[in-house]
């Protein structure tokens, strides 16, 4: 048995003779990016086209959005009376034209200009399925007295580029007190739904989902929300919808407002409108609410982290609470001693954070900074690269509001400042930056599963591709370990899979180039088999390679006792890594082989289609000539002794189902599971489509 190097696990050479690295797609090369220095913001530039607010009128929402489809982000403003009045004011849309900013509100809306009492949030998503983004405004209403609430608003795009205010026709007519909203498909029909996060109000309307029919018409449904949440006995002021555990189903994160346990929660989605609830963590001592939450990869390990704005009673003592994401989709609260400016109370007791964004503000270092809107002033926290932040007060001047956007369509992070009570030309100001961090990446990992003993290394091969037109520097895999253990990597020769370079040392990847790695994790405690993601980053990439389950994830199980460990590969007849049925009534197949490098076990071998539908899968074991030994079955049960190799053919009949050529998501996954416990012992996958493939 030949090994790949000391401490890197035991792989027999024959297990890799047909090794196939799967990459979902190769992006077209982008133009080279010019990098600026870390301190490359321009000085403040006045925006005289932004008009002054009437006396006693303040600004609520600042929404960056390209309303006139010219590639430059414009700005929608909502207004409210300060001091508060229960009277509506119109929204304003300022268009960011090459000649300057102009009030384009009348031309943006096809009908009457929308009005509202007070809005505190927004969503941009394609709700009507026309390929263009639409706008939702979270409308809170009159925030005084018994909080009578107001109607949330929805603006849908039209073929002529304008927008229709369909709030009265496409939404339930409710004066509810909505503090947050989030969008995403929660029931698996492919349409963007909306979570409406109500917290109290005169009409006592609890939170609910708005289920989208695909045209942007929504139906209220709270049947999947627990009774104590529907009745406002547990309340949440902030919400976020995202696929946190990369299982293809959207999850819902809720930031605490009121209840017996002061706990944030995650509702992990099942893809059918149902959820499994878990406690994420509790508010810091002395804090009572989380008015805003967002996500971003703060520590650059490829996993999304969660940032909660936290406040004490009376919405004071502003702070930011951080939970770091781990490779299995779970989270752990950040050690605040390591980052004094991402803390519970670093900003005094006169404000609270009601909007924040992890973004690249000092272009060139590619480490996420944080910009935030506090009540009364902006906040800019600069990341030193180790999640240690410093407050940059000179960046905000005397403005009251700030929003992140792209002023000129160059991909850089620009800042829009606004002081509604100024009457001079400096009321609105701009700072621009040279775009940086232009490297984009793709990655793959194989095999799709490992099962090893505690203290042994679960090793995998990884492929990292630079899909940009810029040379990538300092490139490396990363891993947020869900249990105690050590992660390691080393570059390899792609022709032989032999180790090259130095362990745990980043490498450079030329524009359009590929580097291969051996990666591994040695756990010091047991871990039930679970799907894990790996980060792939470069010093000049803004983000990790996107995660696609089965392409650059792997299931790893750690046990104190020996188990089977199947190294599985797949081979396709026409195009590498993909098969086609050539129509909705056609058929196709792929071949697979698996070798057990662990202990002997009886396993169930079953193909699974990642996209639901009537397509029929079948599997048979094959002989040395590749012919089926017996007829096709939905699954097989077979003993796998140590070092035994078995070969299979997997067949698909489309059976009338249309399967788009989305190679990242539409796949057939062949799984090897232990017969009693169902624990995964091996896996491989190929992409599948009903569209015809080009002949090589």
């Amino acid at each position: 048995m030949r090994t790949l190097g000391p401490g890197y696990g035991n792989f027999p050479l024959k297990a890799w003779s047909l090794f196939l690295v799967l990459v979902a797609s190769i992006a077209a090369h982008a133009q080279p990016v010019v990098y600026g220095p870390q301190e490359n913001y321009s000085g403040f530039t006045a925006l005289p086209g932004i008009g002054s607010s009437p006396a006693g009128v303040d600004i609520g929402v600042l929404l960056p959005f390209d309303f006139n489809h010219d590639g430059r982000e414009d700005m929608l403003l909502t207004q409210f009376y300060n001091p508060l009045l229960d009277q509506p004011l119109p929204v304003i849309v300022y268009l960011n034209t090459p000649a300057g900013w102009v009030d384009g509100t009348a031309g943006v809306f096809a009908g009457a200009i929308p009005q509202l009492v007070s809005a505190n949030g927004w969503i941009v998503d394609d709700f009507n399925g026309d390929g263009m983004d639409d706008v939702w405004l979270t409308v809170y209403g009159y925030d005084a007295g018994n909080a009578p609430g107001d109607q949330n608003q929805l603006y849908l795009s039209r073929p002529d580029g304008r927008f229709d205010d369909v709030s009265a026709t496409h939404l339930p007519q409710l004066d509810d007190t909505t503090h947050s909203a989030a969008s995403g498909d929660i029931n698996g029909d492919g349409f963007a739904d909306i979570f409406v996060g109500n917290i109290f109000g005169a009409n006592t309307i609890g939170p609910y989902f708005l289920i989208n029919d695909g045209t942007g018409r929504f139906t209220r449904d709270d049947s999947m929300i627990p009774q104590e949440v529907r009745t406002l006995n547990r309340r949440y002021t902030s919400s976020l919808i995202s696929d946190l555990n990369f299982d293809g189903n959207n999850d819902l994160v809720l930031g605490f407002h009121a209840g017996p346990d002061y706990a944030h929660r995650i509702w992990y989605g099942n893809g059918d409108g149902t959820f499994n609830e878990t406690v994420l963590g509790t508010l810091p001592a002395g804090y009572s609410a989380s008015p805003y939450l967002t996500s971003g990869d703060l520590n650059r390990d490829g996993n999304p982290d969660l940032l909660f704005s936290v406040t004490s009673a009376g919405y004071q003592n502003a702070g930011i609470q951080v939970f770091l994401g781990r490779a299995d989709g779970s989270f752990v609260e950040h050690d605040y001693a390591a980052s004094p400016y991402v803390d519970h109370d670093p900003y005094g007791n006169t404000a609270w954070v009601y909007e924040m964004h992890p973004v690249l503000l000092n272009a060139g270092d590619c480490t996420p900074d944080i910009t935030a809107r506090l009540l009364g002033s902006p906040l800019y926290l600069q990341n030193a690269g180790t999640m240690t932040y410093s407050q940059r007060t000179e960046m905000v001047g005397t403005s009251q509001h700030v929003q992140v956007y792209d002023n000129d369509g160059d991909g850089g992070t620009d800042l829009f400042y606004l002081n509604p009570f100024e009457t001079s030309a400096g009321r609105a100001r701009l700072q621009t930056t040279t775009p940086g961090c232009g490297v984009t990446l793709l990655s793959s990992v194989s095999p799709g599963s490992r099962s090893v003993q505690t203290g042994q290394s679960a090793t995998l091969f990884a492929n990292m591709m630079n899909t940009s037109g810029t040379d990538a520097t300092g490139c490396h895999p990363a891993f947020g370990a869900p249990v105690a253990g050590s992660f390691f990597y080393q570059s390899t020769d792609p022709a032989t899979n032999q180790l090259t370079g130095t362990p745990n040392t980043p490498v450079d990847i030329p524009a359009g180039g590929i580097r291969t790695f051996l990666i591994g994790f040695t756990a010091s405690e047991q871990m039930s088999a679970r799907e894990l993601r790996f980060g792939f980053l470069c010093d000049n990439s803004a983000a990790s390679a996107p995660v696609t389950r089965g392409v650059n994830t792997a299931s790893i199980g750690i046990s104190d006792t020996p188990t089977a460990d199947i190294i599985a590969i797949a081979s396709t007849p026409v195009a590498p890594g993909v098969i086609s049925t050539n129509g909705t009534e056609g058929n196709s197949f792929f071949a697979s082989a698996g070798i057990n490098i662990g202990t002997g076990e009886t396993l169930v071998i079953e193909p699974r289609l990642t996209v639901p539908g009537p397509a029929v899968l079948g599997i048979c074991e094959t002989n040395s000539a590749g012919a089926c030994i017996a007829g096709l079955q939905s699954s097989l049960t077979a003993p796998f002794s140590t070092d035994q190799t078995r070969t299979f053919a997997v067949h698909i009949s489309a059976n009338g189902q249309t399967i788009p050529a989305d190679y990242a998501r539409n796949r057939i996954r062949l799984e090897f599971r232990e017969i009693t416990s169902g624990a995964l012992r091996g896996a491989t996958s190929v992409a599948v489509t009903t569209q015809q493939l080009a002949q090589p």
Side-chain angles (χ1 to χ4, degrees), residues 508-531:
D508 298 338
I509 306 178
I514 296 175
R515 292 298 297 264
T516 56
F517 298 86
L518 183 78
I519 62 176
F521 179 59
T522 308
S524 55
E525 59 182 297
Q526 292 192 98
M527 180 180 72
S528 59
R530 62 193 66 178
E531 200 77 9

Side-chain angles (χ1 to χ4, degrees), residues 161 178 231 280 388 402 451 460 462 506 544 611 670 680 684:
T178 304
T231 56
L280 171 65
T388 299
V402 65
S451 297
L460 308 161
S544 176
V611 56
L670 185 61
L680 190 67
T684 188

Side-chain angles (χ1 to χ4, degrees), residues 224-244:
M224 65 283 287
I225 295 177
Q227 175 71 16
E228 63 269 26
V229 179
R230 292 202 306 267
T231 56
L232 298 175
N233 290 318
R234 275 200 279 137
R235 300 198 295 270
Y236 301 94
T237 35
S238 53
S239 57
L240 173 75
I241 291 180
S242 181
D243 182 7
L244 300 175

Side-chain angles (χ1 to χ4, degrees), residues 314-327:
Y315 285 83
Q316 296 184 358
N317 297 307
I320 300 174
Q321 185 180 22
V322 176
F323 291 84
L324 298 178
R326 298 189 289 193

Side-chain angles (χ1 to χ4, degrees), residues 338-391:
S339 301
Y341 277 91
V342 182
D343 206 340
H344 300 319
D345 185 16
Y347 316 119
N349 59 5
T350 60
W352 54 282
V353 176
Y354 61 94
E355 185 177 345
M356 58 183 168
H357 302 283
V359 291
L360 302 179
L361 290 176
N362 50 330
D365 70 356
C366 302
T367 56
D369 310 297
I370 298 173
T371 183
R373 295 176 67 188
L374 275 71
L375 185 63
S377 67
L379 172 71
Y380 170 23
L381 300 178
Q382 182 171 310
N383 187 351
T386 56
M387 282 192 67
T388 299
Y389 294 84
S390 58
Q391 188 171 352

Side-chain angles (χ1 to χ4, degrees), residues 402-650:
V402 65
Q403 187 57 272
V404 176
Y405 78 121
D406 184 1
N407 178 72
D408 46 14
D410 67 352
T413 301
D414 306 317
L415 297 174
F416 179 96
Y417 296 95
L418 182 66
N419 189 335
F421 301 116
E422 280 191 26
T423 58
S424 68
R427 173 178 186 263
R429 297 176 298 171
L430 161 71
Q431 283 185 300
T432 60
T433 184
T434 303
C437 310
V439 166
T440 54
L441 304 166
L442 291 174
S443 64
S444 63
V445 168
S446 193
S449 176
R450 292 299 312 275
S451 297
V452 301
Q453 283 186 263
T454 307
Q456 291 183 343
S457 298
T459 50
L460 308 161
F461 283 112
N463 190 338
M464 191 171 180
M465 176 182 292
N466 175 6
T467 60
S468 72
T470 301
D471 291 345
T473 59
C475 302
H476 61 92
F479 185 66
V483 298
S486 59
F487 174 72
F488 52 86
Y489 67 90
Q490 188 168 349
S491 60
T492 63
D493 182 337
T496 64
N497 288 325
Q498 295 303 303
L499 295 171
T500 62
T502 305
N504 302 318
T505 301
V507 299
D508 298 338
I509 306 178
I514 296 175
R515 292 298 297 264
T516 56
F517 298 86
L518 183 78
I519 62 176
F521 179 59
T522 308
S524 55
E525 59 182 297
Q526 292 192 98
M527 180 180 72
S528 59
R530 62 193 66 178
E531 200 77 9
L532 302 176
R533 70 179 138 212
F534 301 87
F536 294 89
L537 304 103
C538 300
D539 288 346
N540 52 347
S541 67
S544 176
V547 174
T548 301
R549 189 181 182 96
V551 175
N552 54 4
T553 68
S555 175
I556 294 181
I558 311 294
S559 173
D560 286 341
T561 58
T563 67
D565 185 12
I566 306 298
I567 307 301
I569 56 176
S571 178
T572 52
V574 177
V578 59
I579 61 173
S580 169
T581 62
N582 292 321
T584 58
E585 300 299 332
N587 308 288
S588 191
F589 74 97
F590 68 90
S592 179
I595 182 171
N596 182 13
I597 63 172
T599 192
E601 284 186 337
T602 298
L603 304 177
V604 176
I605 306 100
E606 182 178 8
R608 299 176 182 267
L609 187 61
T610 60
V611 56
V616 178
L617 300 179
I619 184 174
C620 68
E621 189 166 6
T622 56
N623 58 25
S624 58
C628 287
I629 296 173
L632 292 171
Q633 303 179 53
S634 60
S635 64
L636 299 175
T637 300
F640 258 95
S641 58
T642 300
D643 285 337
Q644 182 178 12
T645 299
R646 289 183 178 273
T647 58
F648 306 92
V650 177

Side-chain angles (χ1 to χ4, degrees), residues 93-223:
V93 177
Y94 287 105
L95 298 180
N96 174 17
T97 74
W101 290 74
V102 297
D103 186 340
T105 312
V108 166
F109 294 100
I113 295 173
Q115 299 190 54
L116 51 86
V117 173
S118 177
N120 64 345
W122 48 270
I123 301 171
V124 170
D125 208 334
D126 182 8
F127 293 117
N128 59 0
D130 65 353
M132 296 188 294
D133 281 334
D134 310 299
V135 174
W136 158 284
L137 290 182
T138 303
V139 181
Y140 190 86
Y142 181 51
D143 190 15
N146 62 355
D150 201 355
Q151 174 69 43
N152 289 303
Q153 296 196 355
L154 178 65
Y155 313 145
L156 295 183
S157 58
R158 295 162 47 103
D160 63 5
R162 295 183 295 167
F163 289 80
D164 285 322
D165 178 4
V166 297
S167 310
T169 58
H170 287 52
L171 298 178
Q173 298 304 287
L174 297 170
D175 286 337
D176 42 5
T177 307
T178 304
H179 203 283
S180 74
S183 69
D185 178 18
I186 60 104
N187 58 359
D189 62 3
F191 309 135
D193 309 304
I194 299 174
F195 173 76
V196 181
N198 297 333
I199 57 172
F200 47 67
N203 297 317
T204 322
I205 301 172
Y208 54 87
F209 284 99
L210 291 175
I211 304 302
N212 190 354
D213 70 354
T215 69
R217 292 182 180 270
F218 291 87
T219 302
R220 177 185 175 186
D221 188 348
D222 63 2
S223 62

